[in-house]
Amino acid sequence: MANLRLIITLITVLICLFSSFTKSSNVIKIDLPKSLNLTVSTDPSIISAASHDFGNITTVTPGGVICPSSSADISRLLHYAANGKSTFQVAARGQGHSLNGQASVSGGVIVNMTCLTNVVVSKDKKYADVAAGTLWVDVFKKTAEEGVSPVSWTDYLHITVGGTLSNGGIGGQVFRNGPLISNVLELDVITGKGEVLTCSRQLNPELFYGVLGGLGQFGIITRARIVLDHAPKRAKWFRMLYSDFTTFTKDQERLISMVNDIGVDYLEGQIFLSNGVVDTSFFPPSDQSKVADLVKEHGVIYVLEVAKYYDDPNLPIISKVIDTLTKSLSYLPGFISMHDVSYFDFLNRVQVEENKLRSLGLWEVPHPWLNLYVPKSRILDFHDGVIKDILLKQKTASGLALLYPTNRNKWDYRMSAMIPEIDEDVIYIIGLLQSATPQNLPEMESVNEEIIRFCKDSGIKIKQYLMHYTRKEDWIEHFGSKWDDFSKRKDLFDPKKLLSPGQDIF
């Protein structure tokens, strides 16, 4: 028996050694002809980095990674993949900020889009031509030198332009200027056939509308022409607390209807739960314990967050906006705080939080995020059924919960990006941005499933953002009336289904 145990142990060790060798070896899995002049890296560290994403939930190992020196490299790669003897799939990857392996490809080629970066501001300063691998933070830095900037932003600037436009791009400016995909004039796209096409609303519109929010299914964006406007210098940044949900949403909806000069430029909302971590740092030290006590008392507290951008604090409009916020909104008396920060510091605010979490070892953890669009008519039902009856009843809640409205008319329905197919003027953006450990990840994923199930059983017509379905019928349901066009565009621009396989659509 002892000898048997020794043999089993030796076999186990040999299997482990062999597995280790296999994972770290430099065996070339994608064999490209020298005429393509492309270098496919199989370096173990590069392969490992490309096998994971921000979600830290999946591991999908590619066959190799290329760092293109130009869009022509990508075109040659895709043309060969579509017409060569050996067909392989291709995924464009920027910062890898997907949640469930959407930017991955098993055994195929990852195109590292961060190798393509450039920002060129037009002479009239009305737009910038931006290489798709450029980070939004670098777009800002370059355009700000010319006194201009994009008009809409995501909450997090350290993601790539191409990846954002392939999904939608949402944040607190959406109610005023629309998502990022609504602020694009022109694109350069390489289709699944290797064709290099420039497209806009007038030129190749089928590809233009398909690619924006198209989850990388029809082509790889290599250049985007982004709308620019004057870059403000500073931001008045407010947070106000509410204990009543209906009062909170009423004030939010009132503010997004004021898109004239006296209105705010940014609006979001957070939810503080008594079973979660309550971040009171925005408020003065003398008020922080009061805020924490308020959350304990009510169980749920709602945070209205707004900002007004400006150049000159002495302009009458600034005092009018402050007057509107302080005198006409129904927040809890005394629970309002204002910061005055530079425009860049406001836009880059999430990076500050990231640095804190990284220092604590809490950034590179599983992120079972759930992002939803909810019709205004059902937001109270969602609140009661999800916030109060599911999230508040968890043992602990970890992460950030966002809830804020946007104007539906800021979205172009011709684009692939989906929002609820309803006849309502306002939809709510929900972000349940929880962090997990490997141990409690299954529990948090089951909570997300419970939320989806509740919405479905209650007839709340939600749409998910940054979603990941594994069944075709779920994708058909997601795209609804757009599915036939979406499927036809796939056949037209990527007939061999080479692009973005990590989305699991086709």
Side-chain angles (χ1 to χ4, degrees):
M1 184 64 70
N3 288 336
L4 180 60
R5 280 199 292 266
L6 178 59
I7 292 170
I8 292 173
T9 301
L10 288 171
I11 291 173
T12 303
V13 170
L14 287 171
I15 290 173
C16 290
L17 286 171
F18 178 77
S19 298
S20 175
F21 172 77
T22 302
K23 290 177 182 177
S24 62
S25 65
N26 269 354
V27 177
I28 298 177
K29 298 177 182 178
I30 304 296
D31 188 17
L32 300 180
K34 292 182 179 179
S35 59
L36 287 182
N37 195 27
L38 294 174
T39 301
V40 180
S41 174
T42 56
D43 180 270
S45 62
I46 293 175
I47 293 293
S48 177
S51 301
H52 304 88
D53 59 15
F54 175 74
N56 272 308
I57 295 172
T58 62
T59 299
V60 183
T61 305
V65 178
I66 73 164
C67 181
S69 60
S70 68
S71 57
D73 287 353
I74 305 174
S75 175
R76 292 198 306 276
L77 175 74
L78 283 170
H79 187 269
Y80 177 77
N83 299 285
K85 294 179 181 179
S86 58
T87 296
F88 51 87
Q89 293 180 305
V90 177
R93 175 189 170 100
Q95 289 293 87
H97 218 260
S98 56
L99 300 174
N100 293 93
Q102 289 96 325
S104 65
V105 54
S106 179
V109 175
I110 291 284
V111 180
N112 181 358
M113 297 302 295
T114 63
C115 297
L116 298 179
T117 63
N118 192 35
V119 181
V120 179
V121 177
S122 65
K123 289 183 179 179
D124 61 8
K125 301 182 183 180
K126 291 186 177 181
Y127 65 82
D129 284 319
V130 183
T134 310
L135 303 185
W136 286 104
V137 66
D138 294 323
V139 175
F140 175 84
K141 290 176 180 178
K142 182 66 176 180
T143 57
E145 293 175 0
E146 305 287 338
V148 289
S149 81
V151 299
S152 193
W153 296 96
T154 63
D155 288 332
Y156 185 57
L157 302 187
H158 294 257
I159 50 179
T160 60
V161 168
T164 308
L165 298 180
S166 295
N167 287 280
I170 56 176
Q173 292 90 351
V174 174
F175 78 94
R176 179 177 280 272
N177 296 312
L180 273 68
I181 54 173
S182 293
N183 295 281
V184 179
L185 301 175
E186 187 178 275
L187 298 168
D188 283 345
V189 176
I190 302 173
T191 71
K193 295 182 284 188
E195 300 170 308
V196 182
L197 297 175
T198 297
C199 56
S200 66
R201 288 171 175 81
Q202 294 78 35
L203 179 66
N204 297 315
E206 189 80 9
L207 182 61
F208 180 77
Y209 290 120
V211 164
L212 293 171
L215 308 177
Q217 293 303 303
F218 314 119
I220 295 176
I221 299 170
T222 57
R223 177 188 64 91
R225 180 165 288 179
I226 308 295
V227 175
L228 301 178
D229 204 345
H230 170 72
K233 291 182 174 62
R234 300 195 66 79
K236 298 282 187 185
W237 183 11
F238 300 83
R239 285 184 185 173
M240 294 150 272
L241 302 186
Y242 292 72
S243 60
D244 180 74
F245 182 70
T246 301
T247 304
F248 168 65
T249 54
K250 183 180 178 181
D251 277 357
Q252 281 189 316
E253 290 169 16
R254 179 177 173 227
L255 288 173
I256 70 164
S257 70
M258 300 167 60
V259 291
N260 51 21
D261 288 342
I262 201 171
V264 297
D265 296 302
Y266 163 96
L267 181 145
E268 289 194 5
Q270 293 186 32
I271 301 172
F272 286 167
L273 299 172
S274 58
N275 60 340
V277 176
V278 178
D279 182 4
T280 62
S281 60
F282 191 88
F283 288 83
S286 58
D287 289 345
Q288 291 177 8
S289 61
K290 296 177 185 177
V291 174
D293 290 341
L294 201 64
V295 178
K296 288 180 183 177
E297 177 187 351
H298 292 275
V300 187
I301 286 293
Y302 313 97
V303 186
L304 176 56
E305 181 176 42
V306 298
K308 180 67 178 178
Y309 308 144
Y310 72 96
D311 293 322
D312 183 353
N314 297 316
L315 288 175
I317 192 66
I318 299 302
S319 60
K320 286 182 181 179
V321 171
I322 294 174
D323 204 48
T324 298
L325 294 176
T326 56
K327 294 183 179 178
S328 65
L329 299 182
S330 302
Y331 57 87
L332 293 170
F335 287 100
I336 180 173
S337 184
M338 182 188 79
H339 291 193
D340 193 293
V341 297
S342 73
Y343 183 49
F344 174 75
D345 285 346
F346 175 74
L347 294 178
N348 200 42
R349 62 199 178 279
V350 176
Q351 180 69 14
V352 177
E353 299 303 318
E354 176 188 339
N355 292 339
K356 290 180 185 176
L357 293 172
R358 282 190 183 279
S359 68
L360 297 170
L362 299 175
W363 183 254
E364 294 180 356
V365 297
H367 296 103
W369 287 7
L370 181 63
N371 298 277
L372 305 170
Y373 300 118
V374 178
K376 169 190 169 181
S377 61
R378 301 302 303 275
I379 195 61
L380 182 59
D381 297 327
F382 180 89
H383 167 267
D384 292 346
V386 173
I387 306 300
K388 284 198 166 181
D389 286 348
I390 297 179
L391 296 181
L392 194 58
K393 292 180 179 179
Q394 285 182 273
K395 290 181 181 178
T396 57
S398 174
L400 189 65
L402 303 177
L403 186 151
Y404 57 98
T406 185
N407 295 312
R408 189 176 182 276
N409 63 6
K410 299 297 181 180
W411 296 73
D412 190 330
Y413 195 72
R414 292 170 292 182
M415 296 175 183
S416 292
M418 287 302 302
I419 56 175
E421 296 184 282
I422 52 168
D423 187 20
E424 293 186 27
D425 295 333
V426 172
I427 57 173
Y428 272 80
I429 297 174
I430 314 292
L432 305 177
L433 313 181
Q434 300 211 69
S435 299
T437 65
Q439 291 71 35
N440 69 4
L441 176 61
E443 176 188 346
M444 290 194 172
E445 289 181 319
S446 70
V447 168
N448 288 344
E449 292 169 2
E450 184 181 357
I451 292 169
I452 298 299
R453 189 163 55 248
F454 166 79
C455 292
K456 189 171 185 178
D457 293 345
S458 303
I460 301 176
K461 295 180 179 180
I462 61 169
K463 290 294 180 184
Q464 288 194 51
Y465 179 64
L466 304 180
M467 58 283 161
H468 185 250
Y469 301 118
T470 56
R471 301 188 311 163
K472 188 172 183 178
E473 51 263 44
D474 291 331
W475 282 113
I476 293 174
E477 181 181 353
H478 171 78
F479 284 109
S481 63
K482 292 186 184 181
W483 172 254
D484 286 343
D485 286 340
F486 194 87
S487 185
K488 288 175 183 176
R489 284 169 175 166
K490 186 68 170 178
D491 291 336
L492 179 61
F493 297 114
D494 183 26
K496 292 195 174 179
K497 313 295 188 288
L498 303 181
L499 292 171
S500 197
Q503 296 283 0
D504 284 333
I505 301 177
F506 295 99

